[in-house]
Amino acid sequence: MSLSHLYRDGEGHLDDDDDERENFEITEWDLQNEFNPNRQRHWQTKEEATYGVWAERDSDEERPSFGGKRARDYSAPVNFISAGLKKGAAEEVDSEDSDEEEKPVKQEDFPKDFGPKKLKTGGNFKPSQKGFAGGTKSFMDFGSWERHTKGIGQKLLQKMGYVPGRGLGKNAQGIINPIEAKQRKGKGAVGAYGSERTTQSLQDFPVVDSEEEAEEEFQKELSQWRKDPSGSKKKPKYSYKTVEELKAKGRISKKLTAPQKELSQVKVIDMTGREQKVYYSYSQISHKHSVPDDGLPLLSQPSVPGKDAKVPGFALPELEHNLQLLIERTEQEIIQSDRQLQYERDMVVSLSHELEKTAEVLAHEERVISNLSKVLALVEECERRMQPHGADPLTLDECAHVFETLQDKYYEEYRLADRADLAVAIVHPLMKDYFKDWDPLEDGTYGTQIISKWKSLLENDQLLSHSSQDLSSDAFHRLMWEVWMPFVRNVVTQWQPRNCDPMVDFLDSWVPILPVWILDNILDQLIFPKLQKEVDSWNPLTDTVPIHSWIHPWLPLMQARLEPLYSPIRSKLSSALQKWHPSDASAKLILQPWKDVFTPGSWEAFMVKNIVPKLGMCLAELVINPHQQHMDAFYWVVDWEGMISVSSLVGLLEKHFFPKWLQVLCSWLSNSPNYEEITKWYLGWKSMFSDQVLAHPSVKEKFNEALDIMNRAVSSNVGAYMQPGARENIAYLTHTERRKDFQYEAMQERREAENMAQRGIGVATSSVPMNFKDLIETKAEEHNIVFMPVIGKRHEGKQLYTFGRIVIYIDRGVVFVQGEKTWVPTSLQSLIDMAK
């Protein structure tokens, strides 16, 4: 709130020089009259009511100064104020002149009556209310205003333990007297008239400030508002730069400006000067120079004393500008020279390193030239001794010694040299002469040692592929193909396939030495066509030499290459067995060697088609007669047990043997038999079968059925005389046979558990699998088949697995195998057969 509303004339009107507004700042008058209910209010003018804060006001009506002094218009006529006299204009001019002096003012210079003016009051403000403003009322009246209230504050303090006359706090450490205020003498700043501490503050806080320190601090703060507090001229400060500082500056600027090349084309508008300027890079701003006439006052402008800065007596901006240019140019030359010197030093270091490397390369080249000259001398010596009709012809062992020398002493040159051409020129003629009288079928191991030595000398170990394309780069492969291979071709064309042992022995002895592709060429292009031709001409009915005697020896070498021969062999054997009878045992001797050669599926199909029907006919002709039994037909059938599968043999017995056998037993029991003979007859027939056949469930069922028939016969009382002890004998027989079956089953389970344990599968895991996947995994381990998931591959959200070479997936306990176009469900046994 402004104090302007207090200055009124006798009629209560505002002064002409006062502003008709009410400021919102909290002034000293507001603080003094905070508790004065009768303070004068400001009357709002009509203009203020209409425009509010946008009402017009003079520029002089600004915020009051620190001391409450207002700027006034002294050209206006004098108005008389009832509260006092207005100071004259001359006195105010003198005070302004004194404020503009630059010399420091001491406390003694202030007049004694220089103090705060009394407040010019007006209106209805009573003199008795002045105690609120000065804060000078005695302590005795402190709190007396509570007598006009209900005294709630005093009561609350007393309830909380406050004792009148003592300080506040738990230990009564609070001050008793209110804070005293000391009136400043004049309108100067805080501390301008010395210490302002009261007697009370000195008692409560006994800290004495040094007057000298306060004076120095006052002078220091006062000098901040003066241009030259000491009154003397400032000495010019000179800055010196050494050459090292310039060099360091050049190195730093070089490092900093390197990444700033991208900003070299940036447009910059400089509006910091008197005129707008345009630069096309930031570097132009950093290198710009001050224009000589920038910042200088215009000569045409009138100088106002006390406001404008003083013009220096010696000012040559053009000369200063030129000197600055010369200094900067000299600095740039020093920096450039330093950079050039550093560049030359770096160049010297780089050239010295290159000189060292060149010296090393030169020494290496000299060594290489020396070694090559020695190698050339050895090769020329070999060529000289290779000439026909020479005095000292070169032998194969001496040639091998020369190549060993080249490999040991001059390995780098030997490895980089073209060994194929060197071997063709020197080794090939000697090798042809060495093998000219060689017969591979008579002496298969001839030359293996010498060829092994040449393999270590000539073969290129860096070649990863082994094919006929290596002839141009591998000297050993070329040697074997051009020198050794023609002798083998001549021998194979004259070789008889039925005389296989010499050829098989010959190739077995040369397998470790021969390149893989040469051995494949011999087996595929030379041996297999001869065997195929011989199989086509073979007749199993007329040839006395079994075919397996000259085919099976090739299995270790050819393995799957013989698969195309098996189909015609089975066809010819099938045609030969059309008129065969089981009484002829020669068929078993011919077929038995092929059981492990043919695949299980093809062998079983061959047996079912050609052998099982013949055996069924033989069992159908068998006559069972307990009194006179002929066993030849039964022996012919049982003799094929190892050749045909157990299921096929059991099928024959179920169809052609057990029905007749049980019928004979029933008829015998119905005619008052001798149970001892029946028991012997039963045990005799059972002993004719092997344990593997007896363990089959169908065979067990038939023999148990026979026991049940005998038990029913002895248990029935209907009929003629019963033999004494027959019932007990039959019961004992039944109990004994069934106990044997139980012991055999337990023994089989124990063997299976031991086999599973030997394969590393625990008894707990060999029990019932947790799920179908575990069952497949167990079967895969039993049959040595790889079963593993395919990483990152799924079909309809199901994980794919590899079971051998087959891709499968499992869905709700069903195995699906990938077919040509779709996924086909299959059984576990079929899956194992396909994987094998």
Side-chain angles (χ1 to χ4, degrees):
M1 181 182 294
S2 176
L3 300 177
S4 59
H5 63 280
L6 299 178
Y7 297 93
R8 299 176 178 268
D9 53 10
E11 298 178 358
H13 298 287
L14 292 171
D15 293 340
D16 297 335
D17 56 321
D18 290 337
D19 188 8
E20 294 181 358
R21 66 168 182 171
E22 183 176 358
N23 293 333
F24 294 96
E25 296 89 0
I26 298 177
T27 62
E28 186 177 357
W29 186 89
D30 295 326
L31 296 175
Q32 292 175 353
N33 293 274
E34 180 66 21
F35 299 100
N36 184 11
N38 298 321
R39 64 179 178 271
Q40 181 66 33
R41 299 285 183 177
H42 170 66
W43 296 99
Q44 193 178 30
T45 63
K46 183 178 180 180
E47 186 178 5
E48 290 178 352
T50 304
Y51 298 101
V53 295
W54 289 278
E56 294 183 358
R57 59 182 64 86
D58 297 335
S59 60
D60 295 335
E61 296 173 359
E62 299 295 337
R63 179 187 177 112
S65 62
F66 183 78
K69 182 179 179 181
R70 293 174 53 84
R72 297 180 180 276
D73 186 9
Y74 295 102
S75 61
V78 179
N79 292 329
F80 292 96
I81 302 173
S82 62
L85 295 176
K86 185 175 181 180
K87 185 184 290 187
E91 295 179 2
E92 292 185 0
V93 172
D94 294 339
S95 62
E96 288 181 1
D97 294 339
S98 63
D99 291 339
E100 293 179 358
E101 292 181 359
E102 298 180 358
K103 295 183 180 181
V105 181
K106 296 183 180 180
Q107 294 181 4
E108 291 78 3
D109 297 336
F110 286 93
K112 293 182 180 181
D113 57 347
F114 188 76
K117 294 182 179 180
K118 292 183 179 180
L119 187 63
K120 299 177 182 180
T121 59
N124 298 323
F125 193 82
K126 298 179 180 181
S128 61
Q129 298 171 355
K130 294 182 180 178
F132 288 94
T136 59
K137 295 186 70 175
S138 64
F139 173 71
M140 299 302 294
D141 296 334
F142 179 75
S144 59
W145 50 272
E146 278 198 349
R147 65 172 61 98
H148 303 289
T149 64
K150 294 181 179 181
I152 188 65
Q154 187 75 10
K155 293 177 182 179
L156 291 175
L157 289 174
Q158 291 177 358
K159 285 182 179 180
M160 289 185 286
Y162 171 70
V163 179
R166 298 181 61 183
L168 295 176
K170 181 178 181 181
N171 300 323
Q173 68 271 21
I175 63 175
I176 302 174
N177 299 325
I179 299 175
E180 296 181 359
K182 184 176 181 180
Q183 186 176 7
R184 196 175 301 142
K185 296 179 180 180
K187 295 184 179 181
V190 176
Y193 307 98
S195 176
E196 297 184 3
R197 299 188 61 180
T198 62
T199 306
Q200 177 189 354
S201 66
L202 292 175
Q203 292 176 359
D204 295 337
F205 304 99
V207 178
V208 180
D209 295 335
S210 175
E211 295 183 358
E212 296 180 357
E213 294 179 358
E215 181 67 22
E216 291 179 359
E217 186 176 358
F218 170 73
Q219 294 294 341
K220 183 177 180 181
E221 293 177 356
L222 191 61
S223 65
Q224 294 179 357
W225 302 94
R226 310 300 180 187
K227 295 183 178 179
D228 192 1
S230 60
S232 60
K233 296 182 178 180
K234 293 182 179 179
K235 294 183 180 180
K237 295 182 179 180
Y238 300 98
S239 59
Y240 300 96
K241 292 184 180 179
T242 61
V243 178
E244 298 299 331
E245 292 178 354
L246 287 176
K247 292 179 181 179
K249 178 183 176 183
R251 298 189 188 99
I252 294 173
S253 62
K254 184 177 181 181
K255 293 179 181 178
L256 294 178
T257 54
Q260 295 177 353
K261 293 181 180 178
E262 300 177 357
L263 305 177
S264 59
Q265 301 297 328
V266 178
K267 183 178 179 181
V268 182
I269 300 175
D270 184 12
M271 302 180 69
T272 58
R274 189 175 297 173
E275 297 178 356
Q276 175 179 325
K277 298 179 182 179
V278 180
Y279 301 98
Y280 294 95
S281 66
Y282 289 113
S283 60
Q284 293 183 5
I285 299 179
S286 61
H287 293 91
K288 71 174 184 177
H289 305 286
S290 60
V291 182
D293 57 349
D294 283 354
L296 294 178
L298 297 176
L299 298 177
S300 60
Q301 295 178 352
S303 60
V304 181
K307 293 184 179 181
D308 296 336
K310 295 180 179 180
V311 180
F314 182 80
L316 294 176
E318 293 84 359
L319 180 59
E320 293 178 0
H321 177 69
N322 294 336
L323 289 175
Q324 185 67 27
L325 288 178
L326 292 175
I327 292 172
E328 292 179 357
R329 184 179 300 175
T330 305
E331 290 179 357
Q332 293 298 326
E333 290 178 358
I334 294 173
I335 293 173
Q336 190 66 25
S337 301
D338 178 64
R339 291 179 181 175
Q340 185 67 25
L341 178 61
Q342 186 65 32
Y343 172 76
E344 298 296 338
R345 289 175 180 173
D346 295 340
M347 183 62 69
V348 170
V349 175
S350 176
L351 291 177
S352 62
H353 287 301
E354 289 185 4
L355 183 62
E356 294 176 359
K357 291 181 180 180
T358 306
E360 293 177 359
V361 172
L362 182 61
H364 176 71
E365 295 295 336
E366 290 178 354
R367 289 195 301 271
V368 171
I369 292 173
S370 176
N371 293 337
L372 287 176
S373 61
K374 294 177 182 179
V375 171
L376 184 60
L378 289 175
V379 174
E380 290 177 351
E381 178 65 20
C382 292
E383 290 182 353
R384 185 186 62 79
R385 296 178 63 183
M386 285 292 297
Q387 297 297 329
H389 308 290
D392 187 13
L394 184 66
T395 62
L396 193 60
D397 293 336
E398 293 175 350
C399 185
H401 179 70
V402 171
F403 274 80
E404 288 178 354
T405 303
L406 293 175
Q407 189 179 29
D408 295 338
K409 295 184 179 180
Y410 312 105
Y411 178 74
E412 290 295 331
E413 290 77 9
Y414 179 76
R415 184 175 60 86
L416 297 175
D418 194 356
R419 287 174 282 181
D421 295 339
L422 185 62
V424 169
I426 299 177
V427 182
H428 285 201
L430 297 176
M431 196 66 70
K432 289 179 181 179
D433 185 65
Y434 181 79
F435 285 107
K436 63 181 180 179
D437 298 329
W438 174 50
D439 188 358
L441 298 180
E442 294 182 359
D443 189 3
T445 60
Y446 178 78
T448 53
Q449 295 180 355
I450 192 69
I451 292 296
S452 299
K453 183 186 293 185
W454 281 105
K455 181 180 181 181
S456 62
L457 294 174
L458 298 178
E459 191 173 21
N460 191 352
D461 298 334
Q462 296 181 353
L463 290 178
L464 300 178
S465 61
H466 298 281
S467 62
S468 58
Q469 298 178 357
D470 300 339
L471 290 176
S472 60
S473 57
D474 196 294
F476 176 73
H477 291 194
R478 185 173 180 180
L479 173 66
M480 297 300 294
W481 182 258
E482 295 182 358
V483 177
W484 183 85
M485 197 64 184
F487 293 97
V488 178
R489 290 195 190 95
N490 294 332
V491 172
V492 172
T493 54
Q494 301 174 4
W495 166 67
Q496 294 297 326
R498 300 197 179 191
N499 186 17
C500 63
D501 293 336
M503 183 61 70
V504 172
D505 295 340
F506 159 69
L507 291 178
D508 284 338
S509 60
W510 282 88
V511 163
I513 305 172
L514 292 176
V516 177
W517 66 274
I518 292 181
L519 179 61
D520 293 342
N521 182 269
I522 294 173
L523 296 177
D524 294 337
Q525 304 298 328
L526 300 179
I527 302 298
F528 183 78
K530 299 282 289 186
L531 293 177
Q532 190 174 20
K533 184 178 180 180
E534 193 67 21
V535 168
D536 293 340
S537 63
W538 171 67
N539 188 356
L541 299 177
T542 58
D543 288 342
T544 57
V545 180
I547 188 173
H548 65 270
S549 62
W550 50 273
I551 291 293
H552 288 184
W554 290 104
L555 287 173
L557 284 173
M558 304 188 72
Q559 297 179 356
R561 290 187 178 90
L562 296 176
E563 286 288 344
L565 300 179
Y566 297 155
S567 181
I569 291 174
R570 286 194 295 267
S571 178
K572 291 191 175 186
L573 289 175
S574 178
S575 61
L577 291 173
Q578 290 181 357
K579 298 180 180 181
W580 170 76
H581 191 268
S583 60
D584 185 4
S586 61
K588 183 180 178 182
L589 297 176
I590 294 174
L591 295 177
Q592 190 172 7
W594 293 99
K595 181 184 178 183
D596 297 330
V597 176
F598 294 157
T599 60
S602 60
W603 173 258
E604 183 66 19
F606 181 81
M607 290 288 106
V608 171
K609 179 181 178 181
N610 300 289
I611 303 299
V612 173
K614 302 285 185 180
L615 298 180
M617 292 173 60
C618 188
L619 274 181
E621 297 174 358
L622 176 65
V623 177
I624 299 176
N625 187 2
H627 302 288
Q628 188 178 1
Q629 183 67 53
H630 295 282
M631 301 294 295
D632 294 338
F634 182 81
Y635 290 148
W636 296 338
V637 174
V638 174
D639 196 30
W640 284 88
E641 181 180 349
M643 299 292 290
I644 63 176
S645 62
V646 176
S647 59
S648 299
L649 181 59
V650 171
L652 290 175
L653 294 175
E654 286 181 338
K655 184 176 181 181
H656 301 288
F657 173 74
F658 281 110
K660 294 188 294 182
W661 185 75
L662 292 175
Q663 185 178 2
V664 170
L665 177 61
C666 291
S667 61
W668 193 1
L669 290 173
S670 62
N671 296 322
S672 301
N674 186 354
Y675 285 97
E676 293 182 359
E677 293 181 356
I678 290 178
T679 302
K680 291 180 181 179
W681 182 77
Y682 172 84
L683 295 175
W685 275 109
K686 191 172 183 180
S687 64
M688 301 298 293
F689 298 98
S690 63
D691 294 340
Q692 190 175 5
V693 175
L694 291 174
H696 198 276
S698 299
V699 178
K700 283 184 180 180
E701 183 181 356
K702 297 299 180 182
F703 280 105
N704 289 332
E705 185 179 353
L707 289 175
D708 293 338
I709 292 173
M710 289 188 286
N711 283 317
R712 286 196 302 268
V714 297
S715 298
S716 62
N717 294 325
V718 181
Y721 171 77
M722 177 64 64
Q723 181 180 353
R727 183 180 299 176
E728 290 78 7
N729 292 335
I730 296 300
Y732 177 75
L733 175 65
T734 303
H735 176 71
T736 303
E737 292 298 318
R738 292 182 176 173
R739 185 179 61 185
K740 288 181 180 179
D741 293 341
F742 177 76
Q743 290 177 353
Y744 182 79
E745 291 176 357
M747 184 178 63
Q748 289 296 112
E749 292 178 357
R750 194 181 308 112
R751 287 178 181 176
E752 291 179 0
E754 291 176 356
N755 293 335
M756 298 289 282
Q758 290 177 358
R759 291 172 185 165
I761 304 175
V763 178
T765 58
S766 64
S767 59
V768 179
M770 297 298 294
N771 50 36
F772 193 67
K773 177 188 171 185
D774 295 339
L775 177 61
I776 296 176
E777 186 175 356
T778 303
K779 292 296 182 182
E781 291 176 354
E782 291 179 1
H783 296 278
N784 295 326
I785 299 174
V786 177
F787 176 65
M788 60 184 296
V790 181
I791 300 175
K793 298 293 184 180
R794 291 180 176 273
H795 176 73
E796 296 180 355
K798 306 296 188 302
Q799 175 67 49
L800 297 183
Y801 300 90
T802 56
F803 191 86
R805 292 175 294 178
I806 305 171
V807 179
I808 65 170
Y809 78 91
I810 304 169
D811 186 11
R812 286 178 284 185
V814 180
V815 181
F816 289 86
V817 181
Q818 186 177 17
E820 295 180 358
K821 295 182 179 180
T822 182
W823 294 82
V824 182
T826 184
S827 64
L828 185 58
Q829 187 61 39
S830 301
L831 179 65
I832 296 172
D833 295 338
M834 286 188 290
K836 287 184 176 180

